[in-house]
Amino acid sequence: MDTFKCDEKTMQLFCKQFYTDKGYAHAERVANFAREDIRYWQEKDRDFVMCLAWAHDLYEDTNCPHEIFTPDFDKALHFITWYNKETTYDRYLELIKKGRDTSHVGHMVWWVKLLDMKDHLTQTDTLTDKLKEKYLSGLRYLL
C-alpha cells in the first residue's frame, strides 16, 4: 500500500466542498460508525479507513475530480463506487466481497460499504420499502 498522507479532519473539510448537506450528513454518520469500531484496524490503516468513510460517495455523488488522491486511495474510491450501471448492484456487491478476500485495500472497502449500508438501513424516516429490500438483499452478498 502506498504511503497515505491524509488525516480524517483534512478529508472531512475536503468532502464538505463537494457533498450536498444531505450527502455530508450521510458521510458523517458513516464516519461516526467507523470511529466506533476503529480499534478493529491497525494504527497504520486508521487514517485510510476514516478518510474512506468520509469520501466513500465522492466519485458517485459529486463532481469531485478523480485521480487526485494517492493511487491506493483512488483505487479504493473507484472500487467502492457503483457508477457502472452495466453492472448490477448485486454483482457490484459480489465484487466488493471478493475484494475483501483478495486485497488489504479491498478489505477496507468492504468494511466501509457495510457501514454505508448500515447507515442507509437506520434512516427510518427516508427508508422506503424498495430501499430496505435493496440493502437487506444486498447484505447477503457482503456477509
Side-chain angles (χ1 to χ4, degrees):
M1 192 162 90
D2 56 12
T3 305
F4 187 70
K5 294 180 170 70
C6 186
D7 61 68
E8 178 186 359
K9 190 66 174 172
T10 301
M11 184 61 74
Q12 179 183 1
L13 293 170
F14 178 81
C15 288
K16 194 160 185 70
Q17 299 174 65
F18 292 96
Y19 285 130
T20 62
D21 289 346
K22 183 178 173 183
Y24 184 84
H26 166 65
E28 184 173 39
R29 290 189 303 269
V30 173
N32 286 337
F33 287 142
R35 198 174 301 103
E36 289 172 6
D37 290 326
I38 200 66
R39 67 190 175 280
Y40 174 75
W41 296 98
Q42 296 177 17
E43 187 68 35
K44 67 181 182 65
D45 295 326
R46 289 182 180 170
D47 282 337
F48 192 99
V49 169
M50 290 307 302
C51 288
L52 186 58
W54 275 102
H56 74 278
D57 279 337
L58 276 181
Y59 286 174
E60 186 172 352
D61 294 344
T62 76
N63 64 352
C64 176
H66 293 216
E67 287 95 30
I68 62 170
F69 301 107
T70 62
D72 276 343
F73 195 75
D74 183 67
K75 179 181 175 181
L77 282 180
H78 277 286
F79 195 29
I80 204 165
T81 300
W82 179 51
Y83 54 82
N84 179 356
K85 301 305 181 198
E86 294 174 11
T87 302
T88 66
Y89 187 69
D90 292 345
R91 178 67 181 137
Y92 155 72
L93 295 175
E94 287 174 336
L95 292 170
I96 286 184
K97 184 173 183 185
K98 183 178 179 183
R100 176 198 72 181
D101 299 331
T102 58
S103 79
H104 187 62
V105 169
H107 193 85
M108 291 185 276
V109 166
W110 167 79
W111 191 62
V112 170
K113 185 62 186 172
L114 282 175
L115 298 177
D116 174 43
M117 293 175 83
K118 176 182 178 179
D119 180 60
H120 287 297
L121 287 167
T122 60
Q123 298 306 302
T124 55
D125 56 326
T126 58
L127 186 64
T128 65
D129 287 341
K130 185 176 179 179
L131 285 174
K132 183 177 180 180
E133 174 58 29
K134 172 186 173 182
Y135 294 120
L136 288 176
S137 174
L139 284 174
R140 73 175 180 240
Y141 295 102
L142 294 179
L143 300 177

